[in-house]
Amino acid sequence: MADQKKRDYYEVLGVKKGASDDELKKAYRKLAKQNHPDLHPGDKEAEARFKEINEAYEVLSDKEKRAKYDQFGFAGVDPNFGAGGPGGGFGGFDMGDIFGSFFGGGFGGFGGFGGGGGSARTGPAKGSTVRAGLTLTLEEAAFGCEKDVTISHVEGCDVCGGTGCEPGTTAEVCPECHGSGQVRVQQRTVFGTMSTSTVCPNCRGEGKIIHQKCKACGGSGGVRRQKKVHVKVPAGIDNGQAISVRGQGDMGRNGGPAGDLIVAITVSPHPRLRREGTHIYLDQTVSILQATLGSEIEIPSLDGKIKCKVEPGTQPGTTLRLRGKGVPVLNGRGRGDQYVSIRVEIPRNLNEEQRQALRKFAETMGEIPSSGGHEEGAERSIFHKKKKK
């Protein structure tokens, strides 16, 4: 007879009896990840739940078997009632095939199924990436510089030399997995014999057992320390970009290479200059006299103070282009340009002598002030051309 202690398969997956295939698959994925033995090493209850979840999905995901289960219950899918069994039409199968169809091959970082996948950690592995930030001025980003960045990373323990063992002792090859970091488990199911390959619970995938752990690092083989890393910033780097420094991250595992250091760049705003790509933009105010008669003014640039010529009769909003005064091209040749937008300052609070001088100037230009009544109104007025008689 079927096991009366079994929970209803729909209850196991937490779905209704009329659930769609997509709902079944979604529920199965979520529960399988939550209860996978790799995440609960040595937890027998989690292992039992994982098997129960697999069994429920294997029946409900098959239309024919689901129909039999809906009609006859466990009797419809139990091997004793002709639904298959050891040596039957299903034979042995590997859970890697099932998870591969759901996750594109393998089960991510939760340990592998089938022949050699999984998260066993016996082979060399690259260390983790370390991230840091660096703030630069606009000039430093434009022309490049060299900076020291302080980071926190994991490096090899000086006491045990990275082995994790107390000096004078060695690790033992795990007797359960024989150093592979994985064990293979077989069980009898409604489909026949199920074979799964999972992380060895005895050594947790390391392939070895340390009986006397190093007191300095606690058996991990690595200790966290701070250090300064010399970083070369290339000319032309921009805000939000990053620099990769190889081999300055966390130590590798089992003889693997160290990880990398990623330095995120932040460029502080300049009080006058504005960057867009390789070009620099500046708003520059000149007097009405400088714009009218022309002049040579001094303006800020990436190269410091430079001279800029304002041609006579320059109008407000005119943009001057200074070739080659922009930002160097990152990993390339040449520089962008600097664009200077001219703003003309109109004088305020003129005295009587200055107003009279402007009136005379207007007359020489063939213009007269528009009637404004009061002298101050005349100051604020614009000039109009005299009408020809």
Side-chain angles (χ1 to χ4, degrees):
M1 294 179 62
D3 188 354
Q4 298 299 321
K5 294 182 180 180
K6 281 187 177 183
R7 288 198 298 156
D8 176 71
Y9 287 152
Y10 292 103
E11 179 186 348
V12 171
L13 296 181
V15 297
K16 296 180 179 179
K17 189 171 182 179
S20 66
D21 291 342
D22 287 339
E23 289 174 330
L24 285 172
K25 186 181 294 184
K26 184 177 180 180
Y28 171 62
R29 286 180 175 178
K30 179 180 178 181
L31 293 172
K33 287 183 179 181
Q34 291 176 348
N35 295 276
H36 193 274
D38 285 2
L39 297 180
H40 308 277
D43 188 339
K44 298 298 183 182
E45 292 185 3
E47 183 178 350
R49 288 194 301 270
F50 184 69
K51 292 177 181 178
E52 183 183 40
I53 293 163
N54 284 325
E55 181 180 330
Y57 184 72
E58 287 158 10
V59 172
L60 298 182
S61 62
D62 186 292
K63 290 184 179 181
E64 184 179 346
K65 302 208 172 22
R66 182 176 180 179
K68 291 181 179 179
Y69 176 74
D70 288 345
Q71 186 174 3
F72 302 108
F74 293 111
V77 293
D78 191 281
N80 295 325
F81 289 85
F90 299 103
F93 67 90
D94 196 307
M95 283 297 292
D97 297 334
I98 294 178
F99 278 94
S101 64
F102 295 154
F103 302 100
F107 195 42
F110 295 94
F113 292 85
S119 57
R121 297 176 285 182
T122 58
K126 186 176 181 178
S128 299
T129 298
V130 173
R131 300 183 184 277
L134 181 61
T135 300
L136 306 173
T137 65
L138 178 60
E139 292 83 357
E140 288 173 331
F143 297 118
C145 59
E146 295 188 15
K147 296 279 188 177
D148 286 333
V149 179
T150 300
I151 66 169
S152 174
H153 77 140
V154 177
E155 58 185 47
C157 176
D158 296 330
V159 176
C160 66
T163 65
C165 302
E166 188 68 16
T169 67
T170 58
E172 174 193 3
V173 175
C174 177
E176 296 293 330
C177 64
H178 306 291
S180 69
Q182 291 186 328
V183 291
R184 201 166 187 82
V185 179
Q186 290 186 334
Q187 66 183 85
R188 183 177 173 181
T189 70
V190 294
F191 288 111
T193 301
M194 182 180 77
S195 177
T196 63
S197 183
T198 186
V199 172
C200 176
N202 192 44
C203 65
R204 299 191 177 184
E206 295 288 348
K208 60 185 179 181
I209 298 176
I210 300 176
H211 295 289
Q212 292 180 269
K213 296 181 178 180
C214 172
K215 295 182 178 63
C217 65
S220 67
V223 292
R224 184 168 292 280
R225 293 194 179 100
Q226 285 193 336
K227 72 170 182 178
K228 288 185 177 181
V229 179
H230 194 67
V231 178
K232 292 183 178 181
V233 180
I237 199 165
D238 205 351
N239 186 66
Q241 294 181 326
I243 302 169
S244 177
V245 186
R246 284 192 174 185
Q248 295 298 332
D250 288 344
M251 63 175 285
R253 191 172 64 240
N254 298 328
D260 300 329
L261 167 64
I262 303 296
V263 183
I265 298 298
T266 300
V267 181
S268 299
H270 191 278
R272 294 287 311 278
L273 304 177
R274 183 177 75 257
R275 175 179 176 179
E276 292 184 15
T278 60
H279 299 313
I280 293 295
Y281 293 85
L282 169 69
D283 294 329
Q284 180 64 39
T285 300
V286 298
S287 70
I288 192 170
L289 192 63
Q290 289 174 314
T292 303
L293 301 180
S295 64
E296 188 176 67
I297 60 175
E298 191 176 66
I299 62 171
S301 75
L302 293 176
D303 300 300
K305 295 289 185 179
I306 60 174
K307 299 290 185 179
C308 177
K309 187 176 181 180
V310 178
E311 296 292 341
T314 295
Q315 300 298 308
T318 298
T319 298
L320 309 179
R321 180 182 183 183
L322 306 179
R323 295 182 181 275
K325 290 299 181 180
V327 179
V329 178
L330 180 64
N331 299 323
R333 295 181 179 180
R335 294 174 60 176
D337 302 324
Q338 178 168 336
Y339 294 90
V340 184
S341 181
I342 298 297
R343 295 179 177 179
V344 180
E345 183 178 30
I346 306 301
R348 299 171 180 269
N349 303 319
L350 297 179
N351 58 35
E352 182 59 29
E353 181 181 358
Q354 292 167 334
R355 284 195 290 270
Q356 292 297 335
L358 276 178
R359 288 193 186 93
K360 291 179 180 180
F361 172 72
E363 290 175 1
T364 63
M365 296 293 293
E367 299 175 346
I368 59 171
S370 63
S371 59
H374 194 271
E375 292 291 334
E376 291 183 359
E379 177 190 333
R380 293 193 297 269
S381 67
I382 61 173
F383 292 100
H384 297 278
K385 293 282 186 181
K386 285 183 178 180
K387 293 182 179 179
K388 292 183 179 181
K389 294 181 179 179

